[in-house]
């Protein structure tokens, strides 16, 4: 059974997508990530997806280069070319995209509007749940139930 991105998003316990603007300070973005216990924020210009900023961006473009985060804007370190998916796409395809692209987050866009954020953890949880259900059904079948 193939699951769609929409079905995976629907099964998430919390579907909040936190965002910042390109002009937000890097410090404010990192503080928001720390407060919310998340690893990435979408970057929005109005309702348009402008990019994504992650802990990885911070480490590679700020910490390692010893740049002061208070003087930097999110636009200075964000990833601007973002791979997105639509709600109708196959979750397995998303796992391939994330694995091949070494991505941890995929914004979900419909009609040019951001509707969710899919993480690698969301997909792994979904796969584990599917496998547990399959094992349960096979065990019932073997027992003749």
């Amino acid at each position: 059974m193939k699951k769609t991105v929409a079905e995976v998003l629907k099964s998430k316990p919390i579907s909040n997508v936190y965002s910042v603007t390109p002009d937000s300070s890097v410090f404010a973005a990192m503080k928001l990530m720390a407060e919310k216990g998340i690893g990435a924020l979408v970057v929005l210009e109005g309702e348009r997806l402008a990019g994504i900023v992650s802990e990885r961006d911070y480490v590679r473009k700020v910490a390692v280069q010893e740049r002061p985060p208070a003087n930097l804007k999110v636009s200075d370190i964000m990833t601007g070319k973002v791979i997105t998916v639509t709600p109708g796409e196959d979750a397995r395809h998303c796992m391939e995209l994330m694995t091949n692209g070494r991505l941890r987050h995929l914004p979900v866009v419909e009609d040019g509007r951001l509707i969710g954020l899919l993480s690698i953890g969301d997909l792994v949880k979904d796969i584990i749940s599917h496998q547990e259900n399959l094992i349960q059904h096979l065990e019932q079948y073997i027992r003749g139930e």
Side-chain angles (χ1 to χ4, degrees):
M1 181 173 111
K2 290 185 178 185
K3 243 186 183 175
T4 65
V5 169
E7 291 169 320
V8 174
L9 285 177
K10 208 178 288 185
S11 69
K12 288 176 68 162
I14 299 172
S15 59
N16 292 348
V17 178
Y18 298 100
S19 66
V20 290
T21 67
D23 290 332
S24 298
S25 75
V26 168
F27 181 79
M30 294 305 116
K31 185 176 177 187
L32 178 59
M33 279 191 244
E35 287 171 358
K36 301 300 180 186
I38 56 177
L41 298 165
V42 292
V43 182
L44 298 175
E45 285 184 306
E47 289 188 22
R48 187 184 74 77
L49 179 65
I52 192 164
V53 64
S54 68
E55 295 166 326
R56 185 186 292 175
D57 291 318
Y58 179 82
V59 169
R60 290 180 178 173
K61 299 171 187 170
V62 179
V64 171
Q65 295 179 21
E66 298 179 4
R67 296 167 73 187
N71 299 335
L72 296 172
K73 292 182 181 181
V74 167
S75 60
D76 295 327
I77 70 164
M78 72 182 194
T79 300
K81 270 191 159 180
V82 182
I83 295 172
T84 63
V85 294
T86 62
E89 287 192 56
D90 178 30
R92 173 167 275 155
H93 173 67
C94 293
M95 182 64 89
E96 290 171 9
L97 280 174
M98 294 174 100
T99 302
N100 294 337
R102 301 182 70 158
L103 308 171
R104 294 182 186 154
H105 302 88
L106 279 176
V108 182
V109 177
E110 186 173 44
D111 298 325
R113 194 175 61 89
L114 180 75
I115 62 164
L117 187 64
L118 196 60
S119 74
I120 193 77
D122 298 330
L123 293 172
V124 169
K125 285 177 194 171
D126 185 67
I127 289 168
I128 290 170
S129 174
H130 176 71
Q131 288 178 342
E132 287 173 346
N133 287 337
L134 182 60
I135 290 167
Q136 183 181 16
H137 283 89
L138 289 172
E139 287 173 343
Q140 289 173 344
Y141 175 76
I142 290 168
R143 288 192 302 263
E145 296 176 7

